[in-house]
């Protein structure tokens, strides 16, 4: 009987560890997206300072290619919109994974208590015998 709970306990620990890995992966992705959004915000602010007659260049591989200011602004706006939607999706995932971890943690605690109670009962039986 104790081995059954021990197996369940190990399975729950494995599930919890996997949930933690997924959570940290999502956090890393969120940090990366946040950095990209900040970078693009800075670029947008710089583009907003320019006048229509100013030249804007885009780096494509090893070459700087002249780009229309309005086109550059639109590209940045689209990129920022995409990053923002990815951030929202990642935040939702983090929230879901957080709830999953809490559930798994509660299950682990219950199983640990049950396991400890059984261990104590077995010890008591051995001392009585």
């Amino acid at each position: 009987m104790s081995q059954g709970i021990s197996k369940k306990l190990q399975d729950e620990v494995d599930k919890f560890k996997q949930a933690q890995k997924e959570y940290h992966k999502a956090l890393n992705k969120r940090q990366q997206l946040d950095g990209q959004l900040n970078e693009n915000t800075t670029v947008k602010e710089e583009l907003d300072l320019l006048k229509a007659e100013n030249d804007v260049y885009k780096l494509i591989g090893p070459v700087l290619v002249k780009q229309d200011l309005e086109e550059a602004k639109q590209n940045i706006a689209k990129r920022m919109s995409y990053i923002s939607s990815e951030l929202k999706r990642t935040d939702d995932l983090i929230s879901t994974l957080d709830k999953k971890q809490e559930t798994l943690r509660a299950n682990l605690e219950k199983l640990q208590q049950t396991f400890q109670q059984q261990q104590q009962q077995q010890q008591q039986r051995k001392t009585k015998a």
Side-chain angles (χ1 to χ4, degrees):
M1 185 166 172
S2 177
Q3 288 180 346
I5 289 184
S6 179
K7 173 79 171 117
K8 284 182 184 178
L9 189 59
Q10 186 59 47
D11 289 345
E12 285 296 313
V13 167
D14 292 342
K15 287 179 188 176
F16 184 72
K17 285 180 180 178
Q18 182 61 35
Q20 281 184 318
K21 284 181 186 177
E22 291 172 18
Y23 183 79
H24 290 294
K25 185 178 175 182
L27 280 179
N28 287 337
K29 183 176 181 179
R30 196 206 184 290
Q31 285 178 324
Q32 181 182 16
L33 288 169
D34 201 33
Q36 290 175 352
L37 185 61
N38 287 337
E39 184 179 317
N40 281 281
T41 300
T42 302
V43 171
K44 183 185 180 312
E45 289 169 358
E46 291 295 320
L47 289 176
D48 288 343
L49 295 175
L50 296 176
K51 297 181 177 108
E53 63 270 3
N54 293 125
D55 290 334
V56 176
Y57 293 90
K58 180 177 183 176
L59 184 64
I60 300 177
V63 180
L64 284 175
V65 178
K66 191 171 184 177
Q67 188 177 27
D68 180 58
L69 178 60
E70 236 3 84
E71 182 183 347
K73 286 181 178 181
Q74 288 173 357
N75 287 343
I76 290 295
K78 286 178 191 174
R79 198 173 303 137
M80 289 175 66
S81 174
Y82 172 76
I83 293 170
S84 294
S85 66
E86 283 297 303
L87 268 171
K88 182 180 179 346
R89 195 174 67 77
T90 303
D91 285 342
D92 291 345
L93 176 62
I94 288 171
S95 176
T96 301
L97 289 172
D98 199 31
K99 289 175 187 171
K100 181 179 178 181
Q101 282 188 77
E102 288 301 317
T103 302
L104 289 171
R105 187 176 289 120
N107 290 345
L108 267 174
E109 288 174 2
K110 287 176 187 174
L111 282 172
Q112 283 176 330
Q113 287 173 353
T114 304
F115 184 72
Q116 288 172 351
Q117 287 172 353
Q118 283 189 354
Q119 292 290 340
Q120 289 172 350
Q121 289 172 357
Q122 287 177 354
Q123 289 295 325
Q124 289 173 355
R125 285 186 205 134
K126 287 181 184 179
T127 55
K128 288 181 182 178

